[in-house]
C-alpha cells in the first residue's frame, strides 16, 4: 500500500465543529480550506470568514497560536468548488441533517479528486445511508469520522466503515488521525451514535433518572460523578452544559428514532428527561446561552429547579463517607456501595450497575471488542477506567453476580440478562475481557489483539488498559542503569548497535509531579556523566504527565528553616550547576515534554540541547506565583536569548528582544500550547512539536541519535551583552504604571523589579558583556532575598495548601 500523503484538506461546513476541525488541522501544519454556503451579502465567503474570525474568541482556544487562524482559507460552494480537486482528504461537517448532507454530497462529488478520501463527521447518523448518495467511484473511499468536541483537546476519534469502504482506507485515515492529528482512534460499527455516545448518553440518561429516583440535586450528583468517581471533573450535569443541551437532545433523538424495544432492551429509558425538555423549551442550552442546568449570578453558581422553573443556590457536596468509599480498592468499593444505606451510595451503585449492564448487552453490536469500548469512554468521556476495566478490576464474576441479582430482582433498568459469555467460557476463565492475548470480541467469540499498523510502532509505551499484561511498562522496561527512590536511568538499547549506531540513556524522575529534589539533581548529574562515558545521547522523560512542576517546595522549606538563606543558596547553586551541566554536556541532552513544564521543569527544558514537546504542553516560569524569581537559570536564559536574537538584527537596542521574556517571567505566563511556548521563547524553531503524546519518547530518542550521528557538539561558553541600568529604568517605569493602574500589586511590582535587575545585568552600563555565572549569581541573590520575605511565605503556604496562587 502506497503512503497516504495529506497535502491539503477541505472541511465542508463552517459551524462549531467544522471550524474547530479546521483550526486543529492548522495547529498541526496541514493546509486547510473551510467551505460553507455563499453569503447573501458582502463577500461570498463571508460565512466561512466570520467563522474563522470567531475562532479567536473561543475558550478554551481551538488554535495553538491565535494568529494562525489566518492560515485557514475561506471558501464557498458557489465560487470555489474546483479547489476540492487539490485536496487529499475531504471532511464533511455540516449540521446533523441527513437530507442536507445527502444534498451536499451530490453537489461536491464531481469535484473530488480521484485519490481523495471522503469522511463525514457525524455523531450518530448512518454512514452507510450517507454513502448511498455518492457515486460508485467514491464509495470505496468514504467512511465516517467522529471528532469529539472540542477537537483540539478531545483525544477520541471514531472511524466508521460502510459495506463498501476499502479496508486500506480506514488504515490510511487511522494513521493520519493518529500521527498527524495526535488522536486516539477506535473503529465503531455503523450503529446509532456509534460507541462513545451510545454508551455515554445511555449513562447520562441513567444518571439523570437515578438522580430523580433518589432525590439528588445536580450539584451533589456532579460532586459524586466527577473526579471522585474517576471521571471528568465536570461530572454529569456540568458536562451536559458544556456539550450543549441541544446537542445532547439531538443525540438522544437519534437513539429514539433509530432504536426500538427489539434492537435495544433499554429503549424505554431513552425518553428525554423532563428537566432537560423544560430547559430546551425555555431556550436554556447550557454554556452557549450562559444558562442550563447551571448559571452564574455574579460570583454565585445557581442550579435549575424543575418544580419552580427557577434557579436556586448550588454548591452542595456529597456526604464525605462516600468520598472515602470511592478511594477504596475497586472490589471493596463496589461492595460498600451496593450495601450502602444512604441514598448517595445507592445512587452510585445504581449508575455503575447500569453502565456494566448496558456495555455487556451491547458490546457485540457496537464495537469490534471491549478494548474499543473502554478506550472510547476514556478518551471521549474522560473516564480513568472504562466500564469493563472497572468491572474487571473489582472482580469479574463477583460483580457479574451482583448485577444479575439486581436484574432478577427488578432493580435494573431492564430485564435483559447479562450475555452468556459473561459467566461462561474464556472471559470467566480469564477473569475479565482484557488479557495479554487481547480483548474480548463478543461478535467473534474470542480475544482479539490490538491492530497492527506501522504508526503504532512509534508508540513505545502505548496507553494500556487493565489486564493488557503483554504491553510494556515504562517504569520497568528496558535495562536499568541506576535507580534511586527519586530517579531511574535506563535504556531501551540492548547493547547492539541500531540503524544509527547510537545508544541513548533515558532519565526518568520518580517524584510526585516529577518535582526536582536534591536527590533528583544528584541523579541527573550522575546520569550526564554516564551518558558521556557510555552513551551517545540522553533523553529526560518521565512517562506520565507532567514533565516536571519544578523544584520541590516541600523539600526546600525545611532546609530554609534549619539553615536559612545560606542553605537555600547552596541548593539553588546546585540547581544552576545542573542546568549548566545539561547545556554543556558532551552528548546531546533532549527533554521530552508532555504536560506541565513549570519553573525548574521549564529551566531544565531550556537548558537541554533540544526539546521534543507534545502539542498540549504548558511551559513557563511561574515562580512569581509563590513570591519568588526563577532561580535555576531561567532569567539567565532570557537574557542570553535576548542577546542572541539581537545579534541577528541591525539594531543595537537589546530591550525589544528582552521584553517578551521579561514579561513572561514577571507575569508567570505559561504557554497555552507548545506552539505558543515558541512565541514565548521556551521552545525554539529547531525544537519538535509532536501531536500524539505517546510518540514523544520515540521522537526524542531518534532526535538524540540523529544529533549524535550528525556530529553534534556542545555550545562554547561565551559572554554576551545586557541591557544594563537604562534597560532597567525603562522596565521599572512601566511597572509603576501597571501598579498605579491596579494591574499588579505592590509586591508583584517588587518581584518584577528584581527580575528586571537580573535580566538587565544589574548595575552596569548597557552593552556590558557578562557570562552565565555572573547572571546566575544575581538570580541566587534575588531568590534568597525573597524566600525570607513574609509575603513570599504567604504565597508558598497558599500554594501548598490550595494549589492556587495567592495574590498579596
Amino acid at each position: 500500500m502506497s503512503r497516504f500523503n495529506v497535502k491539503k484538506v477541505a472541511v465542508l461546513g463552517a459551524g462549531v465543529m467544522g471550524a474547530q476541525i479546521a483550526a486543529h488541522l492548522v495547529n498541526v501544519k496541514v493546509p486547510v480550506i473551510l467551505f460553507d454556503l455563499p453569503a447573501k451579502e458582502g463577500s461570498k465567503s463571508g460565512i466561512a470568514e466570520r467563522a474563522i474570525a470567531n475562532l479567536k474568541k473561543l475558550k478554551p482556544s481551538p488554535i495553538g497560536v491565535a494568529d494562525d487562524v489566518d492560515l485557514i482559507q475561506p471558501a464557498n460552494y458557489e465560487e470555489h468548488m474546483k479547489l476540492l480537486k487539490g485536496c487529499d482528504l475531504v471532511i464533511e461537517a455540516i449540521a446533523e441533517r441527513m437530507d442536507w448532507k445527502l444534498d451536499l454530497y451530490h453537489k461536491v462529488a464531481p469535484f473530488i479528486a480521484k485519490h481523495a478520501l471522503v469522511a463525514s463527521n457525524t455523531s450518530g447518523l448512518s454512514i452507510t445511508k450517507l454513502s448511498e448518495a455518492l457515486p460508485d467511484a467514491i464509495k470505496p473511499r468514504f467512511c465516517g469520522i467522529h471528532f469529539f468536541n472540542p477537537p483540539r483537546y478531545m483525544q477520541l476519534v471514531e472511524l466508521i466503515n460502510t459495506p463498501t469502504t476499502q479496508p486500506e482506507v480506514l488504515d490510511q485515515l487511522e494513521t493520519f488521525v493518529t500521527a498527524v492529528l495526535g488522536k486516539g482512534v477506535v473503529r465503531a460499527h455503523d450503529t446509532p451514535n456509534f460507541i462513545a455516545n451510545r454508551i455515554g448518553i445511555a449513562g447520562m440518561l441513567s444518571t439523570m433518572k437515578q438522580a430523580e429516583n433518589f432525590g439528588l440535586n445536580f450539584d451533589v450528583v456532579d460532586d459524586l460523578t466527577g473526579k471522585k468517581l474517576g471521571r471528568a471533573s465536570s461530572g454529569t450535569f456540568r458536562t451536559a452544559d458544556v456539550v450543549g443541551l441541544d446537542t445532547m437532545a439531538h443525540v438522544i433523538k437519534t437513539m429514539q428514532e433509530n432504536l426500538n424495544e427489539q434492537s435495544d432492551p433499554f429503549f424505554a429509558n431513552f425518553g428525554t428527561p423532563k428537566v432537560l425538555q423544560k430547559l430546551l423549551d425555555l431556550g436554556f442550552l447550557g454554556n452557549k446561552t450562559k444558562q442550563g442546568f447551571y448559571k452564574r449570578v455574579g460570583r454565585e453558581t445557581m442550579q435549575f429547579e424543575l418544580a419552580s422553573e427557577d434557579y436556586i443556590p448550588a454548591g452542595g457536596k456529597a456526604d464525605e463517607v462516600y468520598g472515602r468509599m470511592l478511594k477504596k480498592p475497586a472490589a471493596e468499593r463496589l461492595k460498600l456501595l451496593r450495601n450502602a444505606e444512604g441514598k448517595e451510595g445507592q445512587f452510585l451503585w445504581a449508575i455503575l450497575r447500569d453502565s456494566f449492564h448496558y456495555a455487556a448487552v451491547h458490546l457485540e453490536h457496537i464495537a469490534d471488542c471491549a478494548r474499543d469500548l473502554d478506550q472510547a469512554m476514556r478518551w471521549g468521556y474522560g473516564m480513568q477506567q472504562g466500564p469493563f476495566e472497572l468491572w474487571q478490576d473489582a472482580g469479574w464474576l463477583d460483580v457479574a453476580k451482583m448485577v444479575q441479582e439486581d436484574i432478577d430482582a427488578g432493580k435494573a433498568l431492564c430485564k435483559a440478562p447479562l450475555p452468556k459469555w459473561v459467566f461462561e467460557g474464556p472471559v470467566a476463565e480469564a477473569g475479565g475481557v482484557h488479557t495479554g492475548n487481547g480483548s474480548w470480541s463478543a461478535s467473534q467469540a474470542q480475544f482479539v489483539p490490538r491492530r497492527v499498523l506501522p504508526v503504532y510502532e512509534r508508540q513505545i509505551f502505548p496507553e494500556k488498559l487493565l489486564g493488557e499484561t503483554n504491553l510494556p511498562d515504562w517504569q520497568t522496561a528496558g535495562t536499568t542503569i541506576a535507580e534511586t527512590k527519586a530517579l531511574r536511568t535506563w535504556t531501551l538499547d540492548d547493547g547492539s548497535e541500531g540503524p544509527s549506531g547510537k545508544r541513548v540513556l533515558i532519565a526518568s524522575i520518580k517524584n510526585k509531579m516529577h518535582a526536582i529534589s536534591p536527590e533528583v539533581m544528584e541523579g541527573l548529574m550522575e546520569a550526564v556523566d554516564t551518558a558521556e562515558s557510555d552513551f551517545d545521547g540522553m533523553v529526560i522523560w518521565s512517562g506520565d504527565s507532567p514533565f516536571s512542576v519544578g523544584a520541590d517546595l516541600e523539600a526546600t522549606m525545611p532546609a530554609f528553616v534549619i539553615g536559612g538563606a545560606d542553605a537555600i543558596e547552596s541548593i539553588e547553586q546546585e540547581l544552576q550547576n545542573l542546568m549548566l551541566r545539561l547545556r554543556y554536556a558532551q552528548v546531546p541532552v533532549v527533554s521530552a515534554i508532555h504536560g506541565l513544564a513549570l519553573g525548574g521543569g521549564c529551566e531544565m527544558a531550556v537548558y537541554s540541547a533540544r526539546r521534543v514537546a507534545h502539542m498540549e504542553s504548558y511551559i513557563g516560569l511561574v515562580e512569581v506565583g509563590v513570591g519568588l524569581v526563577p532561580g535555576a537559570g531561567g532569567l539567565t536564559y532570557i537574557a542570553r536569548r535576548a542577546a542572541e536574537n539581537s545579534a541577528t538584527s541591525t539594531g543595537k537596542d537589546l530591550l525589544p528582544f528582552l521584553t517578551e521574556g521579561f514579561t513572561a517571567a514577571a507575569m508567570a505566563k505559561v504557554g497555552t500550547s507548545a506552539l505558543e511556548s515558541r512565541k514565548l521563547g521556551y521552545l525554539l524553531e529547531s525544537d519538535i512539536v509532536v501531536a500524539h503524546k505517546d510518540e514523544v519518547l520515540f521522537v526524542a530518542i531518534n532526535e538524540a541519535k540523529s544529533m549524535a550521528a550528525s556530529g553534534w557538539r556542545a555550545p562554547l561558553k561565551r559572554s554576551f551583552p545586557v541591557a544594563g541600568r537604562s534597560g532597567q529604568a525603562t522596565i521599572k517605569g512601566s511597572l509603576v504604571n501597571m501598579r498605579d493602574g491596579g494591574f499588579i500589586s505592590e509586591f508583584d511590582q517588587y518581584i518584577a523589579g528584581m527580575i528586571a535587575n537580573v535580566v538587565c545585568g544589574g548595575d552596569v552600563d548597557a552593552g556590558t558583556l557578562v557570562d552565565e555565572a555572573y547572571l546566575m549569581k544575581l538570580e541566587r541573590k534575588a531568590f534568597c532575598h525573597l524566600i525570607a520575605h513574609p509575603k513570599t511565605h504567604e504565597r508558598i503556604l497558599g500554594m501548598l495548601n490550595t494549589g492556587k496562587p495567592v495574590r498579596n
Side-chain angles (χ1 to χ4, degrees):
M1 183 176 66
S2 59
R3 178 171 176 264
F4 177 53
N5 187 15
V6 180
K7 299 183 289 296
K8 184 174 288 187
V9 175
V11 176
L12 311 182
V16 173
M17 285 301 293
Q20 292 197 56
I21 291 170
H24 189 60
L25 286 162
V26 168
N27 286 336
V28 295
K29 293 187 166 70
V30 175
V32 59
I33 307 171
L34 181 62
F35 282 83
D36 211 299
L37 296 167
K40 295 180 179 179
E41 297 180 359
S43 167
K44 283 288 182 69
S45 297
I47 295 175
E49 289 167 358
R50 287 190 291 275
I52 292 168
N54 190 57
L55 289 169
K56 294 183 179 180
K57 303 175 185 177
L58 296 181
K59 298 294 180 183
S61 177
I63 197 85
V65 177
D67 291 342
D68 282 356
V69 297
D70 298 331
L71 299 176
I72 301 173
Q73 181 179 348
N76 65 82
Y77 301 126
E78 184 177 303
E79 298 177 313
H80 302 121
M81 295 288 263
K82 290 183 179 179
L83 293 177
L84 289 172
K85 294 181 180 293
C87 296
D88 309 291
L89 173 62
V90 177
I91 300 174
E92 172 270 305
I94 68 171
E96 294 281 282
R97 283 273 302 267
M98 179 70 74
D99 54 340
W100 291 358
K101 288 177 184 282
L102 295 177
D103 180 62
L104 179 61
Y105 291 1
H106 286 298
K107 291 178 180 177
V108 301
F111 300 93
I112 293 174
K114 293 182 179 180
H115 71 284
L117 304 189
V118 183
S120 173
N121 181 72
T122 173
S123 61
L125 296 179
S126 170
I127 303 302
T128 300
K129 187 172 182 180
L130 288 172
S131 72
E132 293 170 358
L134 293 168
D136 289 344
I138 295 179
K139 286 180 180 178
R141 295 179 274 125
F142 176 78
C143 67
I145 184 169
H146 180 207
F147 287 86
F148 270 61
N149 190 26
R152 171 185 164 186
Y153 300 97
M154 296 301 292
Q155 190 175 357
L156 178 63
V157 169
E158 294 174 314
L159 296 183
I160 310 95
N161 69 325
T162 75
T164 56
T165 306
Q166 292 180 343
E168 58 265 31
V169 165
L170 288 182
D171 290 347
Q172 290 170 336
L173 198 52
E174 182 166 347
T175 296
F176 172 74
V177 169
T178 300
V180 179
L181 302 187
K183 301 304 177 184
V185 171
V186 301
R187 296 191 185 183
H189 293 175
D190 190 11
T191 55
N193 293 335
F194 313 130
I195 299 175
N197 276 344
R198 180 71 175 272
I199 300 296
I201 293 299
M204 292 181 78
L205 288 172
S206 163
T207 300
M208 292 180 182
K209 184 180 183 69
Q210 299 293 5
E212 182 180 355
N213 289 345
F214 289 102
L216 300 178
N217 288 339
F218 306 147
D219 48 7
V220 173
V221 170
D222 283 346
D223 186 44
L224 287 169
T225 60
K227 285 187 175 181
K228 290 178 180 176
L229 198 59
R231 298 182 179 181
S233 58
S234 51
T236 300
F237 294 99
R238 283 190 177 86
T239 295
D241 275 351
V242 171
V243 170
L245 304 192
D246 53 340
T247 301
M248 183 179 177
H250 171 78
V251 178
I252 294 172
K253 186 179 179 182
T254 300
M255 297 172 76
Q256 293 168 345
E257 293 179 345
N258 294 281
L259 295 169
N260 53 42
E261 290 84 353
Q262 287 71 43
S263 59
D264 193 320
F266 295 80
F267 182 77
N269 299 284
F270 295 160
T272 305
K274 292 180 182 178
V275 64
L276 175 59
Q277 188 60 58
K278 174 54 66 176
L279 289 168
L280 293 169
D281 294 341
L282 293 171
F284 299 167
L285 306 182
N287 289 5
K288 65 179 70 176
T289 59
K290 298 186 178 180
Q291 55 187 344
F293 288 108
Y294 296 96
K295 76 171 182 178
R296 295 279 291 181
V297 178
R299 294 186 177 183
E300 189 175 5
T301 299
M302 310 288 285
Q303 61 185 328
F304 187 74
E305 184 184 57
L306 181 60
S308 65
E309 297 186 11
D310 201 356
Y311 286 85
I312 62 174
K317 298 292 183 182
D319 190 318
E320 292 182 3
V321 69
Y322 299 108
R324 293 193 293 271
M325 280 187 190
L326 291 174
K327 292 179 180 179
K328 301 285 186 182
E332 184 180 355
R333 183 192 325 156
L334 294 194
K335 288 177 182 177
L336 285 170
L337 292 175
R338 193 191 185 215
N339 296 320
E341 295 182 0
K343 60 183 181 180
E344 293 172 12
Q346 294 172 14
F347 160 79
L348 284 170
W349 164 248
I351 64 171
L352 291 172
R353 176 202 63 217
D354 295 344
S355 71
F356 300 149
H357 190 190
Y358 196 84
V361 167
H362 290 291
L363 174 61
E364 178 180 357
H365 305 289
I366 67 174
D368 284 338
C369 67
R371 181 190 311 106
D372 280 340
L373 192 150
D374 275 348
Q375 286 180 326
M377 298 314 295
R378 276 189 177 202
W379 296 337
Y381 278 78
M383 293 185 177
Q384 290 179 7
Q385 290 182 308
F388 286 127
E389 277 189 285
L390 175 57
W391 183 347
Q392 183 166 333
D393 194 17
W396 184 263
L397 287 177
D398 287 342
V399 174
K401 290 173 183 176
M402 290 192 293
V403 173
Q404 188 60 52
E405 285 173 5
D406 276 14
I407 297 170
D408 295 340
K411 296 179 180 179
L413 291 179
C414 79
K415 296 179 180 179
L418 292 175
K420 288 185 178 180
W421 58 259
V422 170
F423 295 101
E424 303 172 3
V427 171
E429 293 167 7
V433 293
H434 303 304
T435 72
N437 295 321
S439 293
W440 182 251
S441 172
S443 58
Q444 299 177 48
Q446 63 181 2
F447 293 107
V448 296
R450 288 182 173 228
R451 281 186 299 279
V452 178
L453 292 174
V455 67
Y456 292 122
E457 294 176 7
R458 297 168 60 88
Q459 298 181 14
I460 302 173
F461 300 104
E463 183 179 323
K464 65 180 181 179
L465 303 173
L466 179 83
E468 290 189 303
T469 53
N470 58 314
L471 295 179
D473 184 342
W474 67 268
Q475 294 172 310
T476 56
T479 301
T480 298
I481 305 302
E483 187 166 14
T484 66
K485 290 183 179 180
L487 187 83
R488 179 185 181 226
T489 52
W490 53 291
T491 181
L492 287 168
D493 298 296
D494 59 8
S496 60
E497 291 189 350
S500 69
K502 303 298 177 185
R503 298 176 66 232
V504 172
L505 183 70
I506 304 169
S508 298
I509 301 172
K510 297 165 60 178
N511 287 348
K512 182 180 178 181
M513 301 295 283
H514 304 142
I516 305 171
S517 63
E519 293 81 7
V520 170
M521 288 185 263
E522 182 180 355
L524 285 173
M525 283 286 203
E526 292 175 358
V528 176
D529 291 341
T530 301
E532 288 180 334
S533 63
D534 300 327
F535 292 84
D536 300 286
M538 176 172 144
V539 169
I540 302 174
W541 178 83
S542 301
D544 302 330
S545 174
F547 174 70
S548 174
V549 296
D552 190 339
L553 282 176
E554 292 186 67
T556 302
M557 288 309 290
F560 173 72
V561 172
I562 295 170
D566 290 343
I568 294 301
E569 182 170 14
S570 176
I571 293 173
E572 285 303 297
Q573 187 156 13
E574 287 178 21
L575 259 175
Q576 292 174 343
N577 290 341
L578 170 62
M579 302 307 167
L580 294 175
R581 186 76 178 92
L582 297 175
R583 174 167 165 76
Y584 295 108
Q586 295 307 300
V587 294
V589 176
V590 178
S591 280
I593 305 168
H594 171 213
L596 301 174
L598 304 179
C602 173
E603 288 163 318
M604 187 161 59
V606 300
Y607 275 86
S608 298
R610 189 67 51 85
R611 287 139 295 278
V612 173
H614 177 229
M615 194 173 77
E616 296 307 327
S617 295
Y618 309 101
I619 307 172
L621 298 170
V622 296
E623 286 83 354
V624 169
V626 288
L628 297 167
V629 299
L635 300 183
T636 300
Y637 168 80
I638 289 170
R640 175 172 59 78
R641 285 294 301 160
E644 291 168 351
N645 291 333
S646 174
T648 64
S649 169
T650 55
K652 294 186 178 181
D653 186 4
L654 266 171
L655 201 56
F657 299 94
L658 190 62
T659 302
E660 185 78 63
F662 163 79
T663 303
M667 302 298 291
K669 189 171 184 179
V670 176
T672 57
S673 68
L675 304 177
E676 189 182 42
S677 291
R678 274 200 177 123
K679 297 286 185 182
L680 299 178
Y682 298 134
L683 295 178
L684 308 181
E685 287 301 321
S686 57
D687 293 329
I688 299 172
V689 175
V690 178
H692 201 294
K693 63 182 178 63
D694 293 337
E695 294 186 3
V696 171
L697 178 61
F698 173 88
V699 175
I701 289 173
N702 281 280
E703 185 67 10
K705 290 182 177 181
S706 175
M707 293 169 72
S710 62
W712 180 90
R713 297 286 299 177
L716 296 173
K717 296 181 180 180
R718 64 177 72 232
S719 298
F720 48 88
V722 289
R725 284 183 294 269
S726 59
Q728 278 192 67
T730 302
I731 292 174
K732 289 182 177 178
S734 66
L735 293 175
V736 171
N737 293 334
M738 292 180 69
R739 179 204 64 197
D740 292 346
F743 297 104
I744 60 175
S745 69
E746 190 170 334
F747 190 47
D748 288 330
Q749 178 196 1
Y750 183 67
I751 299 171
M754 300 190 82
I755 291 174
N757 179 65
V758 176
V759 297
C760 291
D763 189 17
V764 298
D765 295 331
T768 298
L769 296 178
V770 301
D771 60 16
E772 288 168 311
Y774 169 81
L775 287 176
M776 284 184 170
K777 185 175 181 180
L778 293 180
E779 274 190 42
R780 292 198 304 275
K781 182 179 179 181
F783 189 95
C784 292
H785 172 77
L786 284 169
I787 204 166
H789 200 291
K791 287 187 177 293
T792 295
H793 296 171
E794 291 175 9
R795 292 194 178 189
I796 291 175
L797 290 173
M799 181 64 72
L800 291 175
N801 290 331
T802 68
K804 298 179 181 180
V806 174
R807 287 299 176 197
N808 53 359

